[in-house]
């Protein structure tokens, strides 16, 4: 029985060491690769660098109608951000009439801000200034190259109209197409009150397809196509707050935070070991498992690591330690009244359980509220705190108890000094 418990205990220790090594350094076995935590967990805006901008709707509309407008605006902005190729952006509605956009790793910050905030009102206008059709009639838009009359390929934006737009465009080009001795007539393409292209009508276009020509690069054509494809914002959005965070600052903050967390964890491990002896060793193993569980949960849920998130993680480590302290103190009380070590462990866990659950559940409620109603860094703090509290309850209540019983079965179960008494 003792040999079996010893084998199980050292298998657990080996798995913990393997998991810790893989988390810190990553591991590669043949073609299979387990990346390190630093490589696999996405960094938030404050660590990876990038930009955040807060836009405010310029409207007097209130109530459910405003809520609908904000949801539409968020959808349009999300489509535009997708066109920028940003990985996992954070786009949330703040309050009643604001949208917060966080873009980590963006290189051209001003371009991103300009593109996000454009109203993108697209119109096709005839020579008399009459609107032929609008951006809502555009079904698709893509950047492409088109060979010009001089044989040079020029970037253009191809457009495809919906059924209504195709009909209107066909009628307009039929009316404006050149007849004998006619002067050239153009259709002005206007984006946000600025003429971006003035193509000459050379023939009737009935297939619902057209191109926007201009002095574009292929990148500029791509951005214009994204704006048109995403559609126009339902209301004017004004930039009320923005900030740029350099990646160097973020990486320095990450390194300092990791170092601070490592020092704190080492001090906690030493404290538990010195004060509680064998139970302290078990607590250190459980805390290591706890940290691995939280990091695994963050990776699985796609949670971005932020500075407040690291703070939430460290706070939840404190909660996990607090749960172990409560349990071990109860065990010491049972040992002092003369109970056996096995009976003291069972009684200590049973008596401490309600206190552990109460303290963790109240903190869990706070974390859920922060995640549900917060935004940006507050949400990041809330989600890591919630993950940490859940992992803390699992490790403190189940894993610590199981490991303690294994140690009791493989050591001298009569020496109470080894259990902090």
């Amino acid at each position: 029985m003792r040999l079996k418990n010893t084998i199980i205990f050292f298998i657990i220790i080996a798995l913990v060491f393997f998991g810790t090594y893989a988390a810190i350094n990553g591991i590669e076995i043949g073609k299979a690769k387990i990346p390190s935590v630093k490589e696999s967990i996405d960094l938030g805006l404050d660590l990876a660098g990038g930009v955040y901008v807060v836009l405010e709707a310029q409207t007097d509309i209130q109530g459910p109608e405003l809520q609908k407008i904000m949801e539409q605006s968020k959808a349009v902005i999300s489509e535009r951000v997708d066109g920028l190729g940003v990985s996992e952006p954070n786009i949330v509605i703040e309050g009643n009439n604001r949208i917060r956009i966080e873009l980590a790793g963006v290189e051209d910050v001003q371009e991103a801000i300009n593109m996000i905030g454009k109203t993108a009102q697209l119109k096709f206008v005839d020579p008399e200034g009459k609107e032929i059709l609008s951006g809502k009639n555009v079904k698709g838009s893509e950047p492409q190259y088109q060979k010009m009359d001089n044989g040079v390929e020029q970037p253009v934006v191809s457009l495809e109209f919906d059924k209504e737009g195709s009909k209107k465009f066909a009628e307009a080009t039929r009316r404006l197409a050149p007849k004998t001795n006619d002067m050239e007539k153009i259709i002005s393409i206007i984006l946000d009150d600025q003429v971006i292209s003035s193509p000459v009508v050379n023939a009737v276009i009935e297939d619902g397809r057209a191109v926007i020509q201009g002095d574009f690069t292929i990148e500029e054509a791509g951005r214009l196509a994204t704006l048109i494809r995403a559609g126009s914002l339902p209301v004017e959005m004004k930039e009320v707050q923005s900030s740029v965070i350099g990646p160097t600052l973020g990486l320095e903050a990450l390194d300092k935070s990791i170092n601070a967390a490592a020092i704190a964890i080492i001090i906690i491990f030493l404290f538990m070991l010195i004060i509680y002896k064998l139970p302290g060793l078990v607590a250190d193993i459980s805390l290591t498992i706890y940290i691995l569980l939280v990091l695994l949960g963050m990776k699985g849920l796609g949670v971005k690591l932020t500075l407040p998130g690291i703070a939430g993680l460290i706070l939840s480590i404190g909660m996990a330690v607090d749960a172990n302290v409560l349990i071990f103190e109860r065990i010491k009380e049972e040992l002092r009244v003369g109970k056996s070590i096995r009976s003291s462990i069972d009684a200590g866990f049973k008596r401490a359980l309600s206190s552990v659950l109460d303290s963790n559940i109240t903190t869990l409620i706070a974390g859920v509220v922060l995640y549900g109603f917060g935004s940006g860094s507050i949400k990041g703090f809330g989600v890591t705190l919630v993950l940490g509290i859940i992992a803390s309850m699992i490790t403190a209540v189940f894993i610590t108890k199981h490991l303690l019983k294994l140690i009791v079965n493989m050591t001298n179960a009569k020496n109470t000094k080894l259990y902090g008494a």
Side-chain angles (χ1 to χ4, degrees):
M1 184 70 177
R2 179 177 292 185
L3 178 62
K4 180 183 176 182
N5 284 294
T6 303
I7 291 171
I8 293 172
F9 181 78
F10 280 103
I11 287 174
I12 293 171
I13 294 296
L15 290 173
V16 171
F17 270 106
F18 175 79
T20 305
Y21 179 85
I24 295 171
N25 302 302
I27 202 164
E28 195 167 345
I29 306 171
K31 292 183 178 179
K33 182 181 179 182
I34 301 174
S36 67
V37 169
K38 202 168 182 179
E39 294 174 332
S40 60
I41 291 184
D42 294 321
L43 300 180
L45 181 65
D46 51 359
L47 297 176
V51 61
Y52 80 83
V53 58
V54 178
L55 302 177
E56 185 176 79
Q58 303 300 294
T59 178
D60 295 326
I61 298 172
Q62 297 292 328
E65 192 176 349
L66 176 61
Q67 185 179 355
K68 183 179 178 181
I69 287 173
M70 296 307 293
E71 291 291 346
Q72 290 172 347
S73 299
K74 179 184 174 183
V76 170
I77 290 171
S78 298
E79 181 74 21
R80 294 182 185 181
V81 170
D82 288 343
L84 290 172
V86 178
S87 175
E88 297 185 34
N90 182 38
I91 304 169
V92 294
I93 297 173
E94 284 189 344
N96 295 322
N97 64 340
R98 290 188 175 186
I99 296 178
R100 182 188 182 93
I101 306 108
E102 295 183 353
L103 309 176
V106 171
E107 294 180 4
D108 193 334
V109 173
Q110 194 55 49
E111 174 201 321
I113 292 174
N114 291 342
M115 189 169 181
I116 290 166
K118 273 187 176 292
T119 49
Q121 298 287 351
L122 185 72
K123 295 186 290 186
F124 293 75
V125 178
D126 67 13
E128 286 76 42
K130 180 182 176 183
E131 183 178 317
I132 299 168
L133 49 87
S134 68
K136 70 178 183 180
N137 299 118
V138 178
K139 188 166 70 173
S141 62
E142 298 292 338
Q144 63 181 40
Y145 285 98
Q146 184 182 67
K147 186 172 284 188
M148 300 298 158
D149 295 337
N150 59 6
V152 177
E153 287 194 339
Q154 177 75 27
V156 297
V157 178
S158 67
L159 302 176
E160 182 181 356
F161 302 120
D162 60 14
K163 187 174 180 181
E164 180 188 0
S166 298
K167 183 179 178 182
K168 288 180 177 179
F169 200 70
E171 291 173 355
T173 53
R174 192 177 295 115
R175 175 167 54 86
L176 299 173
K179 297 165 179 71
T180 307
N181 297 325
D182 264 5
M183 292 178 63
E184 288 185 339
K185 294 183 179 179
I186 62 171
I187 291 178
S188 297
I189 303 173
I190 301 172
L191 180 69
D192 289 345
D193 299 323
Q194 181 180 354
V195 177
I196 58 172
S197 184
S198 299
V200 176
V201 180
N202 293 318
V204 179
I205 300 174
E206 296 182 326
D207 62 355
R209 296 178 183 273
V211 295
I212 299 176
Q213 298 176 354
D215 189 16
F216 304 135
T217 63
I218 191 64
E219 290 79 14
E220 289 168 344
R223 289 194 290 270
L224 177 57
T226 298
L227 281 171
I228 295 170
R229 185 171 58 249
S232 60
L233 290 166
V235 292
E236 182 186 352
M237 304 294 287
K238 181 183 177 182
E239 179 188 330
V240 293
Q241 188 180 3
S242 64
S243 180
V244 179
I245 298 172
T248 304
L249 176 64
L251 291 174
E252 286 178 1
L254 176 62
D255 290 338
K256 288 179 179 178
S257 299
I258 290 174
N259 291 336
I263 292 169
I265 290 168
I266 290 170
I267 292 172
I268 289 169
F269 280 11
L270 289 173
F271 173 84
M272 297 299 290
L273 197 58
I274 293 168
I275 300 298
Y276 296 105
K277 309 297 190 295
L278 282 179
L281 174 63
V282 168
D284 292 348
I285 297 168
S286 295
L287 284 172
T288 305
I289 295 171
Y290 154 81
I291 294 168
L292 293 175
L293 285 175
V294 173
L295 295 175
L296 188 64
M298 290 178 68
K299 175 60 182 172
L301 296 174
V303 177
K304 288 192 174 186
L305 186 64
T306 63
L307 285 176
I310 294 173
L313 180 58
I314 295 172
L315 176 60
S316 59
I317 290 174
M319 294 292 295
V321 173
D322 182 56
N324 282 305
V325 168
L326 282 171
I327 292 167
F328 296 161
E329 287 297 328
R330 290 289 189 183
I331 291 173
K332 286 167 68 175
E333 287 176 8
E334 299 297 323
L335 288 171
R336 289 192 190 105
V337 297
K339 288 187 178 180
S340 68
I341 291 174
R342 287 186 177 87
S343 298
S344 297
I345 290 172
D346 288 332
F349 272 90
K350 186 176 181 180
R351 291 181 62 190
L353 184 61
S354 60
S355 299
V356 170
L357 288 177
D358 287 347
S359 62
N360 279 277
I361 288 172
T362 51
T363 310
L364 183 65
I365 292 170
V368 170
V369 171
L370 288 174
Y371 178 76
F373 295 95
S375 62
S377 57
I378 301 298
K379 188 181 284 284
F381 178 85
V383 72
T384 51
L385 185 60
V386 168
L387 278 173
I389 293 299
I390 293 171
S392 168
M393 286 193 283
I394 292 171
T395 53
V397 175
F398 299 106
I399 295 177
T400 300
K401 185 177 183 179
H402 183 67
L403 287 174
L404 262 179
K405 287 191 172 182
L406 283 176
I407 285 186
V408 168
N409 291 331
M410 58 186 273
T411 61
N412 182 3
K414 295 181 180 179
N415 188 350
T416 58
K417 288 183 179 180
L418 290 176
Y419 293 84

